[in-house]
Amino acid sequence: MNRKTLVLPAVAGLLTPVLAACGGSTTGGKSGNAIVVGTTDRFTASGDAPAPLDPAYAYDVGSWNILRQTVQTLMVQPRGDGTPEPEAAESCGFTDTGNERYACKLRKDLKFSNGDPVTAADVKYSIDRARALKADSGVFALLSTVDTVETQGDNEVIFHLKTADATFPFKLSTPVAGIINPKDYEKGKLRDGFQVDGSGPYTMQAEVKNNELVKATFAKNPNYKGLLTPKNDQVQLESFADSNAMSAALDKGDIDVMTRTMAPDQIRQLQNKTNSNVNLVEMPGLEIRYLAFNTDAPTVKTKAVRQAMAQLIDRAALVAKVYGTQAQPLYSLVPATITGHSNSFFNKYGDPSLSKARALLSKANITTPVKLTLHYTTDHYGSATAKEFEVLKQQLNDSGLFDVSVEGSPWDKFRPAEKKGQYDVYGMGWFPDFPDADNYLAPFLDTDNTLGSPYTNAEIRNALIPQSRRQADRLTASKSLTDIQDIVAEDVPILPLWQGKQYVATRDDITGSEYAMNSSSTLQLWELGRGVGG
């Protein structure tokens, strides 16, 4: 097997991606010249979520991966990592010493895909609309530090912030800050369905069956002006029911690229193949998985119950049994490769201990075994999730302190039920909006958090999060960030489990595969091309 290392611009401390290239050749996918990309992400419109692709609503990695191709933002992270750079903007920056005034100047002759000019008023409209709609996905909270948006002429936008926010340039690179045309998106209403319009590198046509997007066709936008350089004219993103169906399509040549989420066994098989026309790219991952608690629910309202679970769960055994080398145990909400990470859960609980867990429950006068149901989604994070929850169930039940059952639901039912507080304990994943410790803490702990969690901590919200955002040097913010992580380990509103790597498999005539998906699981379809395999 021919192996070579490829270097990406990366967050400090991350490993570089590895491409395992196995010889052979192929004629590519069966959709003409379009590069066909497979995913197991599901895109469903329902009564609970009628507008899955509206930038003011969308807040999961799958829908963001569609928006990032089509809806332009003022800033963008180059190849997904590192310091944000101007995209729809020609220049952006703080204009004061307190990180509370941020100004952007738009590129000249910027246009939406239909030819309408993009103006500063459109930027203001887009930001103000998302903030005003306050969709129940919670995505608007990314803009929570915005006080007012001001325009000066057609090309300058000024953001006046309520408080210092050194992470604001990152937030302007996320789809909730995407620039939309007021003609296409009503001010006071979400845009139902799957139509997307913007000024990004591609336009998109949706193929929909039974209220589900099954294929998105991206065509190069001739009016696009920005930092990105599409290396293809057309890409199709096809949604598969599971990883086995996606893998079969790759083997048959029906698709050219296989992305998230592949099963652990599939990845191991591709790693071990010595004669294949498929290349596997392994890259650092910023994805995390965790258990979340409805801290108002009677079963887990007492902190000692949550602490006992933290004391019992053996992360190393969980990862070894389910994910092998494709993941690593995680002892904080902040991944080990992000500046500001602290092993707060290990520092507090150490290795798994039955005696310590029993003492926690006994001291709180909790009757054992504690009966719980762990909920998980069957189709959003990959097929290995079911096995993961069986391992968690066994670990807790083997202690004799818990009586745990597990229940899985598809994402279109799971997510609305979770937001309504119907689950006491449930499993979730997090793919960062941007690679900064703030984005692993504030979305779960601040006001209007993405989980709708009833847990509140005044010190975190009123002091520590604002303190950390005042520091443009993120290393300087580590003290505040560590204090937040230590409080989370004490109160356990969320229990981190593991941090995973990212993988992409491509047929060997596809170029740019090492950049097709970044460490945050962002698809960068503009990087893909068709050429000579190696």
Side-chain angles (χ1 to χ4, degrees), residues 498-515:
W498 56 265
Q499 171 184 350
K501 298 176 183 177
Q502 302 297 320
Y503 296 88
V504 172
T506 68
R507 300 185 71 81
D508 67 358
D509 67 333
I510 298 299
T511 61
S513 58
E514 66 273 25
Y515 301 119

Side-chain angles (χ1 to χ4, degrees), residues 5 27 39 68 70 78 86 111 165 178 188 196 226-227 243 259 272 282 350 405 413 416 448 450 479 496:
T5 300
T27 57
T39 179
R68 289 186 189 276
T70 52
K111 295 179 182 179
D165 187 0
V196 180
L227 187 67
S243 57
T259 61
N272 294 330
E282 176 187 294
S405 60
K413 292 181 174 58
D448 298 319
T450 185
K479 175 61 169 64

Side-chain angles (χ1 to χ4, degrees), residues 153-215:
D154 286 340
N155 291 315
E156 189 170 3
V157 185
I158 300 170
F159 298 91
H160 299 277
L161 306 183
K162 299 174 186 176
T163 183
D165 187 0
T167 68
F168 191 66
F170 285 101
K171 294 171 181 175
L172 288 183
S173 73
T174 64
V176 70
I179 306 167
I180 53 175
N181 192 332
K183 293 180 181 179
D184 299 320
Y185 294 83
E186 293 183 38
K187 184 176 183 179
K189 181 181 180 298
L190 291 171
R191 186 181 187 181
D192 293 352
F194 298 100
Q195 192 169 350
V196 180
D197 295 281
S199 56
Y202 295 100
T203 61
M204 191 272 279
Q205 287 188 335
E207 181 179 326
V208 180
K209 294 180 181 178
N210 299 320
N211 293 320
E212 187 169 347
L213 176 67
V214 294
K215 183 181 293 184

